[in-house]
Amino acid sequence: MNRLITLLSDFGTQDNYVGVMKAVIAQIAPATQVIDLTHQIAPQDIAAARFNLMTAYPYCPPGSVHVAVVDPGVGGARRAIAIALADGFLVGPDNGLFSGVLSQRQALEAVVLTEPRYWRSPTPSQTFHGRDIFAPIAAHLSAGVPFTQLGQSIDPATLVTLEIPPWQHDGEAIAGVVQYVDRFGNLVTTIPAERVPVEGWYIKLEETLIPGGSAYSAVRRGEAIALAGSHGWVEIAINGGNAHHQLAISVGHFVQLWAVPQSELHRAQS
Amino acid sequence: MNRLITLLSDFGTQDNYVGVMKAVIAQIAPATQVIDLTHQIAPQDIAAARFNLMTAYPYCPPGSVHVAVVDPGVGGARRAIAIALADGFLVGPDNGLFSGVLSQRQALEAVVLTEPRYWRSPTPSQTFHGRDIFAPIAAHLSAGVPFTQLGQSIDPATLVTLEIPPWQHDGEAIAGVVQYVDRFGNLVTTIPAERVPVEGWYIKLEETLIPGGSAYSAVRRGEAIALAGSHGWVEIAINGGNAHHQLAISVGHFVQLWAVPQSELHRAQS
Amino acid sequence: MNRLITLLSDFGTQDNYVGVMKAVIAQIAPATQVIDLTHQIAPQDIAAARFNLMTAYPYCPPGSVHVAVVDPGVGGARRAIAIALADGFLVGPDNGLFSGVLSQRQALEAVVLTEPRYWRSPTPSQTFHGRDIFAPIAAHLSAGVPFTQLGQSIDPATLVTLEIPPWQHDGEAIAGVVQYVDRFGNLVTTIPAERVPVEGWYIKLEETLIPGGSAYSAVRRGEAIALAGSHGWVEIAINGGNAHHQLAISVGHFVQLWAVPQSELHRAQS
């Protein structure tokens, strides 16, 4: 069976760009299953693409080929690359897109995609490498072409990285930032879920204290709650609401996690 | 061959939630075909989810597994369930999502999903049961795990229902409400299409009379028309327009169907 | 293996319309692969559908079946048709949707879909032929039903056409119009990419001169550039921006391409 291919882009679904990439894949590797991670990344928002690929990767079948195309530098000097990991492959532009996955897993090998025989044609467009280079490369990988044949080997240490400020100890608290806002308006922070204390805890967001809990419904509708989110980071939500809109908080905002017995938190709020 | 799986949710397509569910399914049941019914249910709009699942169900291959996740109570007290029908399976939260399908078909058996060996892991997140419980359960069902092994049997009569006020006779008229507004702004009522008289008829919407017809083009562009809609209910549309916006009518609005010879309708309008 | 089916419509993804079409296909031809080209065509925008189908077609596997449903005249007098080409099939309403593909390729045969045995049922709805006629016809074609059995043969010359004003010589310049605006706000003109001179060139848009280049990054962020676009036409973009919003230019706007040495262009701009 062919390797599964996932697609992630900022192409949206208004145009035929994604469909055309799938059609190109179907011509090269007809039996390949393709899964869309998302194509609704805001145009050119590499950080959001980085987050979505990083958090989807662990759930995909080992050996999958992940194509990610948020590519404002297409046709310019940025490199077109593929990366081999122990449990999958990454294909796309070298602009930091993959640095989320690579913050959690090691790149074993990397290549610049310099072999036109694995492209759709030897004369790719200068504006749509998703169709002309990345999708065909992924299809060939899926169909069994050896990784090292795809292009010229490069040192993975030279890959462009897009680093997110990591969480850190801040006195008694743990400090982080909001790194992503999802469709529900949930605010995903950079504080790892495993830092959440077993005892009571809360998130401090400006002067507001938001109690830690284990489910949205632990607070009343319309109230804010902090959770160990499904992505693996602490997130802030409003039960039945939209934290992004209602708290007017977005990506980059500073947050603190405080461990505190639930009793004290209640006292602090009253 | 594996059973087909359909997915319906309010997850949107901005994030990787739907892709991750498919990746989880692909790991358990690689050969399974997955069809998206929709993921653009408004956040937490159980009634819209109920409608979309009810109206898609009859068109799906017998034996399909239908996963529906609009789940504001995730992680709380609501039950995670699966339901067996004569011609398919339903998997999701017990919050009324399935009561549209169950208003037209009988639940043969139901289980609470209490068997962690069919989840993604024994420690599911408290916020994303779509990924951690419902998708894996559907994949196992698709791959042939017997229904009764998925959990503890419950009486289908105990399932949560979300009832829509049914149509009723109202003097000479038939009364109903708008139960759904689709992407085109068409207003789908609770009046069954089979109640439409062969002779002339119209819909009364506040003080407006809207003629019944058999195609959008039976009226001029910009004019309203009532039809026996493709969903199986009387719907109100504007030819080339958007009835929802232009008539300023939404879900829950009261409507009446009047049978009347076409001649009288014309007289009433002039 | 079955023929691949592509789907294009204005159904959006809010409702279950697209999922239901796929479910109907899966019942008739379970092994068929289906690719969505787009379902986000603006309601009833036949010209945008025409463009998206025309530009996706060349990338699809030979023999594919293309279903396109932007169908404001559904249930009225417009014909339901299928068209056979040397390298594929088109299925949908006869309203001009297919005239983009047919401007580049010859229709070998055409039929009006008059054989109810290849519909979902002999009594189709009057509002959703995508589900009741077009999807089943495509599934039967995919599964091997001979084209000529689908209905009554018609002369391809009688098909409805939606013509776009072609490019033309205009003194020393080449004149065209904006024929499509994509999700990034890129303005796709009717001037073929192969008309782009090897030497310097620019696009004149009202009184603005936009330099021709080979990649978005050939200009600074926020600046406009004209390119030989991936669709095969000259397009106008803003590097890192949205030309549609920032230039306030939309479909139908007049543009001119001027060949000029780069040096003169620089002089003209300063």
Side-chain angles (χ1 to χ4, degrees):
Chain A
M1 199 173 109
N2 289 6
R3 298 172 183 286
L4 187 149
I5 295 176
T6 77
L7 302 180
L8 179 150
S9 77
D10 63 351
F11 293 159
T13 52
Q14 175 197 319
D15 310 299
N16 61 24
Y17 298 125
V18 174
V20 164
M21 285 179 67
K22 291 177 182 171
V24 166
I25 290 169
Q27 291 211 49
I28 296 169
T32 294
Q33 187 184 355
V34 178
I35 289 179
D36 298 306
L37 295 183
T38 173
H39 298 288
Q40 303 285 15
I41 301 293
Q44 303 146 7
D45 186 346
I46 295 171
R50 174 196 183 281
F51 178 83
N52 274 284
L53 186 61
M54 171 177 62
T55 54
Y57 188 98
Y59 299 96
C60 294
S64 296
V65 181
H66 303 275
V67 180
V69 194
V70 176
D71 195 10
V74 60
R78 71 98 182 95
R79 300 185 293 190
I81 55 167
I83 302 169
L85 294 84
D87 55 359
F89 300 93
L90 307 172
V91 178
D94 181 25
N95 63 13
L97 263 182
F98 301 121
S99 49
V101 174
L102 296 178
S103 71
Q104 304 182 336
R105 308 178 137 67
Q106 199 189 342
L108 301 184
E109 294 179 279
V111 291
V112 176
L113 302 171
T114 50
E115 287 294 334
R117 68 188 144 145
Y118 299 119
W119 303 352
R120 198 179 58 78
S121 91
T123 54
S125 72
Q126 293 302 296
T127 54
F128 193 5
H129 285 184
R131 176 191 72 193
D132 295 338
I133 297 179
F134 301 131
I137 288 283
H140 284 295
L141 260 179
S142 171
V145 168
F147 179 78
T148 51
Q149 289 190 15
L150 300 175
Q152 195 174 341
S153 179
I154 55 171
D155 181 351
T158 68
L159 295 171
V160 172
T161 59
L162 176 68
E163 292 305 338
I164 301 293
W167 67 275
Q168 50 188 318
H169 290 286
D170 182 5
E172 291 175 59
I174 291 173
V177 297
V178 173
Q179 67 171 316
Y180 187 69
V181 178
D182 78 4
R183 117 93 151 190
F184 297 95
N186 295 339
L187 308 168
V188 184
T189 74
T190 52
I191 301 175
E194 62 256 36
R195 307 306 305 181
V196 167
V198 177
E199 289 296 303
W201 58 285
Y202 61 92
I203 288 288
K204 191 171 175 195
L205 189 65
E206 297 188 325
E207 294 313 304
T208 308
L209 301 184
I210 298 172
S214 62
Y216 302 130
S217 52
V219 294
R220 278 181 298 228
R221 278 183 75 84
E223 290 187 359
I225 183 166
L227 302 128
S230 67
H231 294 299
W233 283 277
V234 171
E235 68 183 43
I236 299 157
I238 289 183
N239 184 19
N242 183 305
H244 173 53
H245 292 148
Q246 290 168 250
L247 303 177
I249 297 293
S250 196
V251 167
H253 206 95
F254 182 75
V255 296
Q256 282 181 324
L257 181 152
W258 287 81
V260 64
Q262 205 66 27
S263 53
E264 290 195 32
L265 175 57
H266 286 152
R267 206 178 54 208
Q269 287 185 302
S270 58
Chain B
M1 199 172 107
N2 289 6
R3 299 173 181 285
L4 186 148
I5 294 176
T6 77
L7 301 180
L8 179 150
S9 76
D10 63 352
F11 293 158
T13 51
Q14 174 196 320
D15 310 298
N16 61 24
Y17 298 126
V18 174
V20 163
M21 285 178 68
K22 291 176 182 171
V24 167
I25 290 169
Q27 291 211 48
I28 297 169
T32 295
Q33 186 183 356
V34 178
I35 289 179
D36 298 306
L37 295 182
T38 173
H39 299 288
Q40 303 285 16
I41 301 294
Q44 303 146 5
D45 187 345
I46 295 170
R50 173 195 184 282
F51 178 82
N52 274 284
L53 186 60
M54 170 176 65
T55 54
Y57 188 98
Y59 298 97
C60 295
S64 297
V65 181
H66 304 274
V67 180
V69 194
V70 176
D71 195 8
V74 60
R78 70 97 183 95
R79 300 184 293 190
I81 56 167
I83 302 169
L85 293 84
D87 53 1
F89 300 94
L90 308 172
V91 178
D94 181 25
N95 63 13
L97 265 181
F98 301 121
S99 49
V101 174
L102 296 178
S103 72
Q104 303 182 338
R105 306 176 140 69
Q106 200 188 341
L108 302 183
E109 293 179 280
V111 291
V112 176
L113 302 171
T114 50
E115 287 294 334
R117 68 188 144 145
Y118 299 118
W119 304 352
R120 197 180 58 78
S121 91
T123 54
S125 72
Q126 292 303 296
T127 53
F128 192 5
H129 285 185
R131 176 190 72 193
D132 295 338
I133 297 179
F134 301 130
I137 288 282
H140 284 296
L141 260 179
S142 171
V145 169
F147 179 79
T148 52
Q149 289 189 15
L150 301 175
Q152 196 173 342
S153 179
I154 55 172
D155 182 351
T158 68
L159 295 171
V160 172
T161 59
L162 176 68
E163 293 304 339
I164 301 294
W167 67 276
Q168 50 188 318
H169 290 286
D170 181 7
E172 290 175 61
I174 291 173
V177 296
V178 173
Q179 67 171 316
Y180 187 68
V181 178
D182 77 5
R183 119 94 151 189
F184 297 96
N186 295 339
L187 308 167
V188 183
T189 75
T190 52
I191 301 174
E194 61 257 36
R195 308 306 305 182
V196 167
V198 178
E199 288 297 302
W201 58 285
Y202 62 93
I203 288 288
K204 190 171 175 194
L205 187 66
E206 297 188 325
E207 294 312 304
T208 309
L209 301 183
I210 298 172
S214 62
Y216 302 130
S217 53
V219 293
R220 279 181 297 226
R221 278 183 76 83
E223 289 188 359
I225 183 167
L227 302 129
S230 67
H231 294 299
W233 282 278
V234 171
E235 69 183 42
I236 299 157
I238 288 182
N239 183 19
N242 184 305
H244 173 53
H245 292 148
Q246 291 169 251
L247 303 177
I249 298 291
S250 195
V251 166
H253 206 95
F254 182 76
V255 296
Q256 283 182 323
L257 181 153
W258 288 82
V260 65
Q262 205 65 26
S263 53
E264 291 195 31
L265 175 57
H266 286 153
R267 207 178 53 210
Q269 287 184 301
S270 58
Chain C
M1 200 172 109
N2 289 6
R3 299 173 181 287
L4 188 148
I5 295 176
T6 77
L7 301 180
L8 179 150
S9 76
D10 63 352
F11 292 159
T13 52
Q14 176 197 318
D15 309 299
N16 61 25
Y17 298 125
V18 174
V20 163
M21 286 178 68
K22 291 176 182 171
V24 166
I25 290 170
Q27 291 210 49
I28 296 169
T32 294
Q33 187 184 355
V34 178
I35 289 179
D36 298 305
L37 295 182
T38 173
H39 299 288
Q40 303 285 16
I41 300 294
Q44 302 147 7
D45 187 345
I46 295 170
R50 173 195 184 283
F51 178 83
N52 274 285
L53 187 61
M54 170 177 64
T55 55
Y57 189 98
Y59 298 97
C60 294
S64 297
V65 181
H66 304 274
V67 180
V69 194
V70 176
D71 195 9
V74 60
R78 71 96 183 96
R79 301 185 292 190
I81 56 167
I83 303 169
L85 294 83
D87 54 0
F89 301 92
L90 307 173
V91 177
D94 182 25
N95 63 14
L97 264 182
F98 300 121
S99 48
V101 174
L102 296 178
S103 72
Q104 303 182 337
R105 307 177 138 67
Q106 198 188 342
L108 301 183
E109 293 180 278
V111 292
V112 176
L113 301 171
T114 50
E115 287 294 335
R117 68 188 144 144
Y118 300 118
W119 304 352
R120 197 180 59 79
S121 91
T123 54
S125 72
Q126 293 302 296
T127 54
F128 193 5
H129 285 185
R131 175 190 72 192
D132 296 339
I133 297 180
F134 301 130
I137 288 283
H140 285 295
L141 260 178
S142 170
V145 168
F147 179 79
T148 51
Q149 290 189 15
L150 300 176
Q152 197 175 341
S153 179
I154 55 172
D155 182 350
T158 68
L159 295 171
V160 171
T161 59
L162 176 68
E163 293 304 339
I164 301 293
W167 66 276
Q168 50 189 318
H169 290 286
D170 181 6
E172 291 175 60
I174 291 172
V177 296
V178 173
Q179 67 170 317
Y180 187 67
V181 178
D182 78 4
R183 117 94 152 190
F184 297 95
N186 295 338
L187 308 168
V188 184
T189 75
T190 52
I191 302 175
E194 62 257 35
R195 307 306 303 181
V196 166
V198 178
E199 289 296 304
W201 57 285
Y202 62 91
I203 288 289
K204 191 171 176 195
L205 188 66
E206 299 189 323
E207 294 313 305
T208 307
L209 300 184
I210 298 173
S214 62
Y216 302 130
S217 53
V219 293
R220 279 181 297 226
R221 278 183 75 84
E223 289 187 359
I225 183 166
L227 302 128
S230 67
H231 294 299
W233 283 278
V234 171
E235 69 184 41
I236 299 157
I238 289 183
N239 184 19
N242 183 305
H244 172 52
H245 292 150
Q246 291 168 249
L247 303 176
I249 298 292
S250 196
V251 167
H253 206 95
F254 182 76
V255 296
Q256 282 181 324
L257 181 152
W258 288 81
V260 65
Q262 205 67 27
S263 54
E264 292 196 29
L265 175 56
H266 286 153
R267 208 178 53 211
Q269 286 184 301
S270 58

